[in-house]
């Protein structure tokens, strides 16, 4: 608990209970990952200040704490009403006046948390975590960031439809706005290092275009790991210009002939790619800086999974040193690309990011970033658990870690430093106990036993369907 001389007002303005909820305390590993002082400094630098009156409850600290708690829960506990209930408990424990049961004040306070601040906090947590990982968590001593894209469905409002139009194949009023998202995930910690959002279709809305927005999120010496849509000449050139190497799958439109180039091994060679003509999205000044040729390594990888037909594919990389980066090492790295699919499943399914609820694009983007902030902080807790138990973060279950953090949310938020250290050690043992299962021979049918309720599909806007029901009822009467 807060010390006796800490006033309730000062406590509600402090970000300490956010840090405590995610096991942030001196003496704990990774204590430098988004501590209380950094959160406070970020809000101050962005000149974010509201709820200054003595009886104001939803300060920036309380509002962010409550929104993060929503991101950790599913179902009814995720609602704004449940968030207000948790704030009520917090206020009682802090000796403050309880908020009104009406969630309107809380929702208006959420709108005052700028997107810029939330994004800075997400990136600060990821960068601090990535910079402090042990060397044996890295790939050949290098930081790897995995790129991938996904889509989300936003609530069907006019504002969301204007920002992210639904599929043209769907009738108005029966579809949902489609938002495309491209992410960069750390291979070592699974933390989100970068995210770009935009419409699903339109000019410069594809995954390569959105990844170019995130190139500044790489550090010199990083490795970009991605699928075939990122295997373009210009993506490789722009990455190399930043000191970033690339490992991707060969694009299906490019032919590979292992009889050509400098042979490094069986189906492993270095060839020269020629610069294509300038694409429309690139200006002439940038095009002039792109080299006319690139030395690119192409190698064959055979993926064998017991019970499945062996699959072969060609990997493209700028890691042309065959002695330092063997064919086996690169093949192993590319197979690790699948982890990003699991990371996206963790945030979309386990944390229910696929169930967005905000009604405007501005609030949807904030909602997504709050989820990513909670996600990164859970990954930080998993890194602490892995380090304390001499394991790797990706050996631990994200769903179990989410359950542990959510279950101890209120208690950890208000724990004093001594109690927090004891609680952290107990949480780490619990999280480390739930390891990701190694089930190479598992065979399961892609089917479910429980039958969902068979409701008819809505084929017209809900307002029209409701009017038809009322009209039919009036006719019968």
């Amino acid at each position: 608990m807060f010390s006796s001389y800490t006033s309730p007002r000062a406590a509600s303005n402090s970000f300490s209970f956010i840090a405590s909820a995610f096991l942030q305390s001196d003496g704990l590993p990774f204590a430098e990952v988004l501590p209380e002082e950094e959160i406070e400094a970020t809000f101050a630098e962005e000149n974010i200040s509201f709820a200054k009156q003595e009886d104001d409850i939803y300060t920036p600290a309380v509002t962010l704490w409550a929104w993060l708690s929503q991101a950790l829960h599913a179902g009814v506990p995720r609602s704004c009403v449940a968030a207000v209930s948790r704030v009520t408990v917090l206020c009682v424990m802090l000796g403050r006046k309880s908020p009104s049961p009406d969630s309107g004040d809380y929702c208006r306070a959420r709108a005052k948390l700028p997107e810029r601040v939330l994004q800075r906090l997400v990136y600060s947590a990821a960068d601090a975590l990535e910079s402090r990982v042990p060397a044996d968590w890295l790939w050949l001593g290098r930081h790897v960031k995995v790129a991938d894209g996904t889509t989300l469905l936003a609530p069907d409002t006019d504002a969301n439809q204007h920002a992210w139009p639904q599929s043209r194949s769907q009738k108005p009023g029966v579809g949902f706005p489609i938002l495309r998202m491209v992410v960069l995930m750390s291979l070592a910690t699974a933390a989100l290092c970068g995210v770009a959002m935009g419409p699903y279709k339109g000019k410069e809305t594809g995954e390569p275009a959105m990844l170019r927005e995130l190139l500044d999120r790489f550090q010199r010496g990083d490795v970009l790991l991605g699928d075939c849509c990122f295997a373009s000449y210009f993506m490789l050139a722009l990455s190399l210009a930043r000191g970033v190497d690339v490992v991707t799958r060969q694009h299906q439109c490019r032919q590979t002939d292992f009889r050509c180039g400098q042979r490094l091994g069986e189906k492993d060679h270095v060839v020269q790619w020629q610069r294509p003509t300038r694409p429309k999205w690139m200006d002439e000044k940038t095009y002039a800086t792109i080299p006319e040729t690139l030395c690119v390594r192409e190698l064959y990888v055979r993926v064998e999974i017991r019970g499945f037909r062996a699959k072969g594919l060609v990997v493209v990389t700028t890691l042309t040193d065959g002695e330092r980066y063997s064919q086996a090492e690169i093949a192993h790295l590319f197979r690790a690309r699948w982890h990003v699919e699991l990371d996206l499943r963790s945030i979309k399914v386990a944390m229910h990011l696929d169930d967005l609820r905000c009604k405007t694009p501005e609030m949807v983007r904030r909602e997504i970033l709050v989820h990513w902030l909670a996600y990164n902080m859970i990954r930080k807790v998993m890194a602490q658990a892995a380090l304390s138990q001499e394991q790797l973060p990706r050996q631990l279950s994200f769903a179990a870690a989410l359950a542990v953090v959510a279950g101890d949310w209120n208690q950890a938020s208000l724990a004093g430093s001594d109690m927090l250290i004891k609680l952290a050690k107990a949480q780490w043992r619990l999280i480390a106990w739930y390891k990701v299962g190694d089930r190479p021979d598992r065979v399961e049918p892609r089917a479910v036993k429980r039958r969902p309720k068979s409701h008819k599909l809505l084929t017209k806007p809900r307002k029209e369907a409701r009017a038809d029901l009322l009209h039919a009822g009036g006719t019968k009467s």
Side-chain angles (χ1 to χ4, degrees):
M1 283 290 292
F2 289 97
S3 58
S4 58
Y5 58 84
T6 303
S7 69
R9 176 63 186 174
S12 65
N13 280 321
S14 171
F15 291 95
S16 61
F17 45 83
I18 295 178
S20 297
F22 293 109
L23 308 183
Q24 295 285 94
S25 178
D26 293 338
L28 298 179
F30 299 107
E32 302 86 358
V33 178
L34 207 63
E36 167 194 356
E37 296 78 14
E38 184 170 353
I39 303 175
E40 185 175 356
T42 301
F43 274 82
E45 290 169 7
E46 298 290 339
N47 297 316
I48 307 304
S49 177
F50 55 88
K52 296 181 179 180
Q53 301 300 320
E54 183 65 28
D55 59 346
D56 287 336
I57 293 174
Y58 294 108
T59 62
V62 171
T63 304
L64 180 58
W65 177 88
W67 207 349
L68 286 168
S69 75
Q70 288 183 274
L72 298 176
H73 290 83
V76 174
R78 186 185 175 191
S79 67
C80 289
V81 173
V84 171
S85 177
R86 287 188 286 270
V87 172
T88 300
V89 174
L90 181 70
C91 289
V92 170
M93 298 300 293
L94 294 176
R96 297 216 64 202
K97 183 185 73 172
S98 298
S100 166
D102 184 1
S103 60
D105 291 342
Y106 167 61
C107 293
R108 285 185 286 272
R110 293 198 312 176
K112 297 176 184 178
L113 297 179
E115 181 180 341
R116 169 66 179 167
V117 169
L118 298 174
Q119 185 182 66
R120 284 187 58 180
L121 295 178
V122 172
Y123 288 171
S124 294
D127 293 344
L129 182 58
E130 187 71 12
S131 65
R132 290 166 174 81
V133 298
D136 57 350
W137 290 8
L138 304 177
W139 180 75
L140 300 181
R142 300 189 66 171
H143 295 266
V144 179
K145 293 174 181 174
V146 194
D148 200 16
T150 188
T151 57
L152 298 172
L153 299 181
D156 188 15
T157 64
D158 291 340
N160 288 341
Q161 286 282 8
H162 180 74
W164 310 300
Q166 68 180 45
S167 172
R168 295 178 181 177
S169 63
Q170 293 178 310
K171 297 179 181 179
V174 299
F176 290 91
I178 305 178
L179 180 151
R180 186 191 297 278
M181 182 169 59
V182 171
V183 299
L184 290 178
M185 311 297 293
S186 165
L187 183 62
T189 66
L192 175 87
C193 300
V195 58
M197 294 176 275
Y200 176 66
K201 287 188 176 181
K203 186 177 180 180
E204 289 302 300
T205 59
E207 292 181 15
M210 297 181 75
L211 180 60
R212 290 196 296 270
E213 299 177 19
L214 300 176
L215 288 178
D216 290 339
R217 292 296 303 151
F218 288 92
Q219 302 293 324
R220 182 168 291 274
D222 286 351
V223 177
L224 164 61
L225 178 60
D227 210 347
C228 59
C229 65
F230 305 121
S232 70
Y233 186 99
F234 296 108
M235 183 62 70
L236 269 62
L238 292 173
S239 299
L240 286 173
R242 289 169 166 78
V244 176
D245 281 302
V246 180
V247 177
T248 70
R249 183 177 178 177
Q250 179 72 288
H251 195 276
Q252 62 269 20
C253 293
R254 186 182 289 274
Q255 299 297 320
T256 301
D257 186 355
F258 287 107
R259 296 172 298 179
C260 305
Q262 177 188 352
R263 188 174 185 273
L264 300 181
E266 180 68 24
K267 293 187 177 181
D268 182 4
H269 68 174
V270 176
V271 294
Q272 276 198 345
W273 284 7
Q274 302 295 321
R275 183 179 65 180
T277 58
R278 181 174 67 87
K280 295 180 179 180
W281 56 265
M282 180 178 287
D283 58 74
E284 294 184 1
K285 183 178 180 181
T286 304
Y287 184 73
T289 65
I290 302 296
E292 295 184 358
T293 60
L294 286 179
C295 287
V296 178
R297 183 179 179 185
E298 300 172 337
L299 55 105
Y300 182 81
V301 173
R302 185 177 178 85
V303 181
E304 294 185 358
I305 303 175
R306 187 173 180 179
F308 293 84
R309 178 170 53 88
K311 181 180 180 180
L313 52 90
V314 177
V315 172
V316 171
T317 179
T318 57
L319 300 170
T320 56
D321 189 340
E323 294 184 2
R324 183 178 179 185
Y325 305 103
S326 68
Q327 187 174 8
E329 288 286 0
I330 294 179
H332 182 267
L333 174 63
F334 184 78
R335 283 194 288 268
R337 192 206 68 83
W338 179 251
H339 283 299
V340 71
E341 308 285 352
L342 305 180
D343 299 339
L344 288 171
R345 185 182 68 180
S346 294
I347 185 80
K348 293 178 68 174
V349 179
M351 294 188 69
H352 298 273
L353 187 61
D354 59 349
D355 181 23
L356 295 170
R357 300 187 175 188
C358 291
K359 307 301 184 184
T360 64
E362 297 78 13
M363 290 303 296
V364 167
R365 287 192 292 266
R366 290 180 175 95
E367 184 180 6
I368 292 172
L369 289 172
V370 168
H371 275 75
W372 279 122
L373 177 57
Y375 171 88
N376 272 1
M377 296 307 291
I378 293 172
R379 289 296 184 183
K380 190 273 304 183
V381 175
M382 294 176 67
Q384 290 176 311
L387 188 65
S388 67
Q389 303 298 317
E390 298 182 349
Q391 297 175 357
L392 296 176
R394 289 193 175 277
Q395 293 176 314
L396 308 181
S397 167
F398 177 85
L402 170 63
V404 170
V405 173
D408 294 340
W409 180 258
N410 279 72
Q411 295 88 337
S413 298
L414 295 171
S417 57
D418 293 340
M419 182 58 66
L420 185 62
I421 292 176
K422 295 179 182 179
L423 180 61
K425 293 179 179 179
Q427 281 196 5
W428 297 342
R429 286 194 296 270
L430 186 58
I431 292 172
W433 193 84
Y434 291 97
K435 299 181 180 64
V436 176
D438 182 15
R439 299 169 289 184
D441 298 324
R442 184 189 183 197
V443 177
E444 292 288 347
R446 294 182 64 86
V448 295
K449 180 178 179 180
R450 188 178 296 275
R451 271 64 170 172
K453 294 181 179 179
S454 55
H455 292 293
K456 294 181 179 180
L457 297 178
L458 195 65
T459 58
K460 61 180 68 176
R462 187 171 296 276
K463 185 182 297 185
E464 294 181 15
R466 189 182 298 115
D468 290 346
L469 287 174
L470 293 173
H471 178 71
T475 301
K476 290 180 180 180
S477 62

